Amino acid sequence: MNVRCTRCGAAADPLRICACGGLPEFAAPSTRIDAAGLKRLLRERRASYEPLFASGVWRLRELLPPIAAEHVISLREGNVPVYASAAGARFCGADRVSYLHLGMNPTGSFKDLGMTVAISAAHALGARAVVCASTGNTASSMAAYAARAGMRAYALVPRGKVSAVKLAQMRDYGATLIEVEGSFDDAFAKLGEIEGAVLVNSINAYRIEGQKCAAFALLDERSWRVPDWVLLPGGNLGNISAFAKGFREARELGLIDRLPRLALVRAQRGVDTCASAIAVADPKSLERAHRELERFGGIELALDDAEIFAAKAAIGREGIGCEPASAASLAGAKALRERGDITRDHDVVCVLTGHVLKDARAYDNAA
Ligand code: F0G
């Protein structure tokens, strides 16, 4: 499959930023299977006991970069619930709110969908080691898949800014932790110092291919009914880019006939937020995410911790729960409902990106 730079359009290496500074991206897949056939195939694979198809990512292998089955490293990721939420609907004053809970993945976040593809690709290349910068979720996911693949994993994490639970998880999977002074952005800047390891942050184009499968999984679970809005928390902005790519491809393949609107919810700048996963000052996918938002009639908004925690409480009190950064999606739905962009009759999907057990400091629903 063709890989191009999203900025200058030149042929690109899927593992590296282009000389112009743009990010590499795989071209849209072309398959001879028609839309009805593809929908049927996905349903059949969902019901099958074939290990490869037990993964919500590899079930879509015709839409992914070609990687031989013997190199696929999977933990059965991507089979996550869509929960209809009465409390979420009340919280934001809309009739229909549901959550796509990507925290219900093997290592507790959406990163697993991208990591299975990135680590499988690295395995196919014969890589011995992988590296990433992370506030917790990316590195935990990398560590698990690298361990399954028999590779070494190096995690660059900002000292004092990563939840103890996530550090324990990385250690459990045998990763080498390198604590860096400063922020996520400072850790990212040090990535070049680890030689001989494949970079698996979301500038790695394989990550985006895996994460785009979340859009297909959402649509499949909804019997291909397109929601009016999909809201996502954003940090480095890889995930919203991946969702956008997934929805666009689903339309090009004829699986859906319109696109949802997208909303990107970020943490307010200059604030030491509890939503650590979205505290990224210099998002690597900013340019491409903005281009996608234009295509989707998208909206970007920044919220403070009080708004995010009110949403987190509503999600937790209903027995679902998520990490603080994830609750930004529901907080965003409330803000857009108040502004009138979301109307009462809209069908709203909030993406919950991480598991409730990530951040032990952030439980405060006792009120
Ligand atoms: N939600 C959660 C739970 C995350 O862990 C992240 C990113 C995001 C949202 C934002 O996603 O970067 O694709 O826009 N976490 C990174 C990490 C920074 O290191 O785990 P994005």
Side-chain angles (χ1 to χ4, degrees):
M1 259 156 103
N2 219 329
V3 184
R4 303 234 154 242
C5 170
T6 51
R7 184 185 286 174
C8 73
D13 178 338
L15 302 180
R16 276 181 194 81
I17 295 178
C18 175
C20 79
L23 298 181
E25 193 166 278
F26 281 91
S30 58
T31 159
R32 286 206 209 110
I33 313 173
D34 66 11
L38 209 47
K39 288 177 183 175
R40 209 168 37 243
L41 190 65
L42 286 175
R43 282 289 159 96
E44 280 166 18
R45 288 179 177 174
R46 232 170 122 150
S48 111
Y49 287 109
E50 161 62 40
L52 193 63
F53 299 143
S55 160
V57 172
W58 296 102
R59 207 176 283 149
L60 288 155
R61 66 179 306 190
E62 286 77 6
L63 311 184
L64 296 173
I67 294 172
E70 78 242 38
H71 292 297
V72 169
I73 309 294
S74 169
L75 290 164
R76 301 197 172 198
E77 55 290 317
N79 297 303
V80 300
V82 177
Y83 297 122
S85 171
R90 270 197 308 280
F91 179 79
C92 52
D95 291 335
R96 280 171 297 169
V97 171
S98 53
Y99 306 127
L100 172 68
H101 204 328
L102 295 172
M104 303 299 195
N105 266 300
T107 77
S109 82
F110 72 93
K111 308 286 181 178
D112 294 343
L113 280 82
M115 209 53 78
T116 182
V117 182
I119 298 291
S120 300
H123 192 259
L125 284 171
R128 310 292 296 271
V130 286
V131 63
C132 73
S134 178
T135 56
N137 284 329
T138 304
S140 296
S141 182
M142 169 188 74
Y145 285 85
R148 289 282 288 178
M151 291 177 202
R152 301 208 59 165
Y154 297 96
L156 274 73
V157 296
R159 189 191 301 280
K161 301 233 164 72
V162 177
S163 120
V165 177
K166 282 281 148 182
L167 294 173
Q169 190 181 10
M170 291 170 213
R171 290 200 180 95
D172 194 65
Y173 300 139
T176 303
L177 263 63
I178 302 162
E179 294 192 289
V180 175
E181 297 307 327
S183 63
F184 169 84
D185 299 87
D186 296 313
F188 195 94
K190 288 220 165 6
L191 280 167
E193 294 176 17
I194 311 291
E195 282 174 19
V198 170
L199 175 64
V200 294
N201 279 100
S202 56
I203 62 163
N204 179 322
Y206 290 100
R207 282 273 311 275
I208 302 299
E209 292 306 294
Q211 284 170 216
K212 80 180 182 189
C213 296
F216 288 92
L218 172 69
L219 291 167
D220 189 9
E221 282 194 52
R222 292 172 51 98
S223 301
W224 307 95
R225 274 181 303 107
V226 181
D228 295 307
W229 285 93
V230 176
L231 296 101
L232 286 135
N236 239 338
L237 310 188
N239 204 31
I240 191 149
S241 305
F243 264 82
K245 189 170 194 280
F247 286 126
R248 284 193 286 110
E249 290 181 4
R251 189 172 66 170
E252 281 156 28
L253 292 164
L255 297 167
I256 53 174
D257 57 11
R258 68 182 180 100
L259 297 174
R261 291 186 72 186
L262 290 183
L264 164 62
V265 191
R266 302 179 64 192
Q268 248 163 32
R269 277 199 208 190
V271 180
D272 193 15
T273 174
C274 250
S276 57
I278 54 174
V280 177
D282 174 26
K284 302 299 168 287
S285 292
L286 187 67
E287 190 180 297
R288 97 168 135 190
H290 281 165
R291 200 173 313 127
E292 294 289 13
L293 283 181
E294 267 171 42
R295 291 180 176 136
F296 281 76
I299 294 185
E300 177 173 356
L301 66 169
L303 301 180
D304 63 28
D305 271 16
E307 293 167 288
I308 293 172
F309 271 98
K312 180 168 153 48
I315 298 164
R317 282 297 191 87
E318 205 182 12
I320 294 172
C322 64
E323 74 165 89
S326 298
S329 57
L330 181 64
K334 183 180 167 72
L336 290 187
R337 177 72 189 96
E338 280 162 6
R339 279 169 39 168
D341 294 292
I342 293 180
T343 56
R344 176 165 279 283
D345 60 324
H346 277 161
D347 184 352
V348 179
V349 173
C350 298
V351 178
L352 305 182
T353 45
H355 197 273
V356 67
L357 290 178
K358 176 179 178 185
D359 206 335
R361 296 166 309 156
Y363 302 122
D364 195 14
N365 284 355

